[in-house]
Amino acid sequence: MQLLQIIEKHGRQPEDLISILLDYQACKTDNYISEDDVKMLARQLNLTESRIYSVLTFYTLLSTKPRGKYVVQVCNDVPCYVKGSVNVLKILEKTLGIQEGETTADGVFTLEFTSCLGCCDKAPAMRIGGQLYGNLDEGKIGEIIAKYRGQ
Amino acid sequence: MKTKNEIIKTLVTKRCGVIKPDSIEEFIGAGGYQAVVKAFSMQPEQIIGEVKASNLKGRGGAGFPTGIKMDAVLKAEGSPKYIICNADEGEPGNFKDKYLMENDPHQLLEGMIICAYAVGASHGYIYIRGEYGDSMTALEKAIADAKANGWLGANIKGSGFSFDVMVHSGAGSYVCGEEFALIESLEGKPGRPRNKPPYPTTAGFRDKPTMISNVETFSNIGIIVNGGGEAFKAIGTETSAGTRLISLSGNVKNPGVYEVPFGVTLADIVYGLGEGAPDGQKIKMVQLGGASGPIIPPELLDIRLDYKDLADEGISIGSGAVIVIDERFGMMEILERIMKFFCRESCGKCTPCREGNRQILNILNKFIACKASEEDIKNLTSICNVMCLTSFCGLGQAAPTAVLTTLKYFGGEYTGRLAAKS
Ligand SMILES: Cc1cc2nc3c(=O)[nH]c(=O)nc-3n(C[C@H](O)[C@H](O)[C@H](O)COP(=O)(O)O)c2cc1C
Ligand code: SF4
Ligand code: FES
């Protein structure tokens, strides 16, 4: 079972909780930690459920709601904004047929805003499934999304 | 106008783009880890003495003297002691730590090993923001190679000194760059700051003495040990020693990471290195340090990069971001982005920050709609001042900086948007 392997890798201390949650979420296709997951984790790590939720709801890379297999995060801070991030969002909304905060019907993509990705010299930037993409324009966005669709 | 070569000085970045970052052999071939050997021949107090003499100040934003921090950890009671590298780099507009980690990861390890030996620490962590997958890969590889070659682990190079480092991933939270929030996060909890004092130097990670410093700060340590503190202090200006990595972004022709000595002007950076705004645009404003930094008009770009010169103007450059905004963009829309960032990232622990950011945004929206009154300018100023004075941590204290500096330098943008009196 995957969760047990991840716990073995990181350890059972309360300190290891965030690493366990990140790794476990990453291997789930719906990209979130469910109520059942929390119950199981609470038993395994001997922590209260509220302790686990306190972490789950604090960090933006963790989610308590189902998300697409690929989370498309569009950077929205000033360096990207002045290089056209608003346009990037519009193109993505059109290409994926969803609004910011939504998931495509086939469960493949979720579209989110994010804080700065540290790619400001290649603004506008986005992150998909852990991979950073910069210097985005309409053609490039189309290619990137097509690549993920094909997978 | 100075040429690029006259502006740049490569000290910390001297190996970046020159060696293969994933090759420990190339790092060692280019002089790497020599500083560790030299440090092992010195007494801890001697090393700290050199760092003090170098006048190195922390590159994470606050600019605290690194030598004094090391001294505090060395003298603190308690064991084990810890070294933490702050690689959270969440401040919008900053990407220089990423550049260092991905182009010269061993230099960071070298600095951490020397600091660990000097303060008597046995374990180290590199807390890297969760979005930086490539940086984590680079450091994990570097750590594995350093271990395999005897630069990390038990009895390093026969010195009798043992030290281990681990990479730890952040999970998406800007406030986790604050030192105590980072420590809370490393302990597996939500990243909310702790009360100070006690400082991390006496009661940090697991309540043990902890040296927590920025990636660029650690990356300077080997240079100081190799060349000596006095030689390092000679670089830069009388009041600011060494170089700074600048993350240049926004509306400039040449964005990127540049290393410059203290003493160059902001204009050297924006025009000399960045070559100004593209497409014949004019620069309207420049934000220094990131979202929590001041916004200044182009007329102020003659200021030198120097802690004192900047402080004399009431501003600072934080962790080295320079964000250029040209005249196509309105000031209010920029401020709106910035305040939305702080609303999103406030941890909610204290009222001034949790509520203040939202109130600032509400008032800005009135200006955006041209429905503001004189009263709103007064309220805005007073909310900002209350936040600066009473917020629990640096996030809330610095969040109003952009608003306060634009009130000072771009007052007309506010008064020009007051509702017409009927
Ligand atoms: C909200 C907030 C975010 C911060 N983010 C970072 C960061 O990403 N990286 C960093 O090195 N320091 C950051 N700092 C500063 C740290 O609290 C701390 O001063 C620094 O890591 C000390 O290292 P230095 O002495 O090398 O600068 C932040 C501070 C605050 C208040
Ligand atoms: S100032 Fe903001 S981020 Fe800092 S403790 Fe208060 S609410 Fe949290
Ligand atoms: S502002 Fe978008 S990556 Fe930094």
Side-chain angles (χ1 to χ4, degrees):
Chain A
M1 208 185 107
Q2 231 154 10
L3 179 60
L4 288 182
Q5 282 166 3
I6 291 168
I7 292 176
E8 286 322 310
K9 178 180 150 204
H10 291 291
R12 283 174 188 274
Q13 297 305 313
E15 268 178 18
D16 306 314
L17 177 62
I18 299 174
S19 310
I20 293 170
L21 290 172
L22 279 173
D23 273 9
Y24 185 50
Q25 179 179 271
C27 63
K28 296 186 68 184
T29 51
D30 47 9
N31 241 313
Y32 86 115
I33 307 286
S34 68
E35 250 182 86
D36 287 343
D37 293 332
V38 171
K39 290 203 169 79
M40 193 158 60
L41 276 159
R43 266 199 312 277
Q44 286 293 338
L45 301 174
N46 203 14
L47 292 171
T48 60
E49 288 173 35
S50 68
R51 168 79 172 76
I52 295 174
Y53 276 114
S54 75
V55 165
L56 262 183
T57 53
F58 186 84
Y59 295 98
T60 56
L61 295 183
L62 296 168
S63 177
T64 52
K65 292 195 193 74
R67 295 185 295 178
K69 183 172 173 200
Y70 301 112
V71 181
V72 181
Q73 296 176 299
V74 184
C75 173
N76 200 22
D77 283 324
V78 171
C80 278
Y81 175 69
V82 301
K83 301 284 276 183
S85 62
V86 177
N87 229 1
V88 170
L89 185 72
K90 278 196 196 126
I91 296 165
L92 281 165
E93 285 181 339
K94 201 178 75 188
T95 316
L96 299 173
I98 49 172
Q99 303 281 305
E100 189 263 321
E102 295 177 349
T103 301
T104 53
D106 59 5
V108 178
F109 296 104
T110 297
L111 188 55
E112 284 180 359
F113 272 137
T114 175
S115 298
C116 174
L117 293 167
C119 266
C120 332
D121 53 340
K122 301 180 189 70
M126 66 176 179
R127 181 172 179 263
I128 304 183
Q131 193 66 41
L132 293 170
Y133 297 95
N135 293 323
L136 298 172
D137 56 31
E138 183 143 21
K140 206 163 164 190
I141 293 170
E143 277 169 35
I144 295 165
I145 294 296
K147 193 185 91 190
Y148 282 94
R149 267 213 182 105
Q151 280 176 10
Chain B
M1 183 105 113
K2 285 190 241 172
T3 65
K4 278 191 186 180
N5 283 339
E6 285 165 339
I7 301 169
I8 286 174
K9 176 167 181 71
T10 49
L11 197 66
V12 184
T13 55
K14 62 181 175 295
R15 279 181 294 256
C16 296
V18 178
I19 61 163
K20 283 216 285 303
D22 58 356
S23 163
I24 189 170
E25 292 80 17
E26 289 196 16
F27 175 75
I28 291 170
Y33 287 128
Q34 266 169 25
V36 172
V37 176
K38 183 166 177 195
F40 285 163
S41 72
M42 296 162 74
Q43 292 301 315
E45 290 81 2
Q46 247 181 312
I47 298 170
I48 295 175
E50 290 300 327
V51 178
K52 279 185 179 165
S54 77
N55 203 15
L56 173 68
K57 295 205 170 100
R59 304 304 198 219
F64 188 80
T66 306
I68 294 178
K69 191 185 282 189
M70 291 172 76
D71 208 27
V73 180
L74 173 69
K75 290 185 179 138
E77 305 256 345
S79 85
K81 293 180 180 175
Y82 296 101
I83 297 275
I84 298 176
C85 173
N86 187 341
D88 197 49
E89 195 161 69
E91 181 78 48
N94 286 282
F95 41 96
K96 49 106 183 165
D97 291 338
K98 180 172 191 274
Y99 181 83
L100 283 177
M101 288 189 282
E102 291 171 20
N103 286 289
D104 200 355
H106 284 286
Q107 175 170 255
L108 167 58
L109 294 179
E110 180 182 58
M112 289 182 74
I113 297 165
I114 295 168
C115 288
Y117 171 74
V119 305
S122 52
H123 294 281
Y125 293 88
I126 307 174
Y127 185 102
I128 304 181
R129 65 179 299 200
E131 289 85 351
Y132 280 5
D134 289 347
S135 302
M136 286 187 234
T137 310
L139 272 154
E140 269 158 6
K141 164 95 168 92
I143 289 169
D145 289 347
K147 269 190 194 151
N149 286 271
W151 295 102
L152 280 175
N155 188 16
I156 297 173
K157 296 289 162 187
S159 64
F161 173 68
S162 303
F163 180 59
D164 258 320
V165 180
M166 272 171 62
V167 169
H168 186 96
S169 171
S173 160
Y174 163 67
V175 71
C176 283
E178 196 279 337
E179 51 194 10
F180 263 136
L182 187 152
I183 288 170
E184 287 281 304
S185 179
L186 203 55
E187 293 177 355
K189 294 179 268 184
R192 293 204 176 84
R194 290 182 197 164
N195 209 12
K196 295 181 206 177
Y199 292 93
T201 47
T202 49
F205 183 52
R206 296 173 179 159
D207 285 329
K208 299 293 182 195
T210 303
M211 173 182 179
I212 170 163
S213 287
N214 174 257
V215 174
E216 186 184 343
T217 311
F218 282 120
S219 298
N220 269 291
I221 296 292
I223 296 163
I224 292 168
V225 167
N226 273 330
E230 284 301 326
F232 187 89
K233 190 168 184 288
I235 303 163
T237 67
E238 195 66 1
T239 36
S240 308
T243 62
R244 273 319 285 270
L245 263 65
I246 300 293
S247 310
L248 181 60
S249 70
N251 303 124
V252 282
K253 283 194 192 122
N254 300 317
V257 174
Y258 297 98
E259 185 175 6
V260 297
F262 279 103
V264 303
T265 65
L266 299 175
D268 287 334
I269 295 167
V270 170
Y271 298 108
L273 301 173
E275 292 184 25
D279 314 322
Q281 295 290 331
K282 270 182 73 187
I283 293 174
K284 175 167 181 168
M285 47 199 175
V286 175
Q287 189 170 29
L288 303 177
S292 62
I295 296 184
I296 59 169
E299 297 78 57
L300 283 187
L301 291 176
D302 286 335
I303 298 181
R304 288 194 312 166
L305 183 66
D306 175 276
Y307 291 113
K308 183 172 177 303
D309 288 13
L310 290 162
D312 286 347
E313 181 61 36
I315 57 181
S316 82
I317 197 168
S319 36
V322 176
I323 306 166
V324 179
I325 301 153
D326 72 32
E327 286 190 326
R328 288 171 299 166
F329 298 93
M331 191 193 78
M332 289 295 164
E333 39 178 326
I334 298 293
L335 290 176
E336 187 194 0
R337 297 278 132 184
I338 294 169
M339 293 321 298
K340 278 189 176 161
F341 170 78
F342 287 116
C343 287
R344 199 162 58 225
E345 299 293 347
S346 167
C347 83
K349 178 167 178 151
C350 71
T351 314
C353 169
R354 186 185 59 239
E355 301 304 325
N357 286 311
R358 287 168 39 190
Q359 294 310 326
I360 292 179
L361 192 56
N362 285 344
I363 297 178
L364 287 179
N365 280 327
K366 286 203 206 171
F367 281 98
I368 290 169
C370 289
K371 288 196 175 139
S373 64
E374 293 277 355
E375 194 65 19
D376 286 313
I377 298 189
K378 267 194 225 148
N379 287 342
L380 192 60
T381 313
S382 99
I383 292 171
C384 290
N385 288 333
V386 168
M387 284 177 69
C388 294
L389 292 170
T390 62
S391 291
F392 189 79
C393 87
L395 188 148
Q397 290 158 12
T401 309
V403 172
L404 282 170
T405 46
T406 49
L407 278 165
K408 178 173 172 191
Y409 299 120
F410 298 88
E413 297 257 357
Y414 289 88
T415 49
R417 287 175 166 269
L418 296 177
K421 287 199 184 97
S422 54

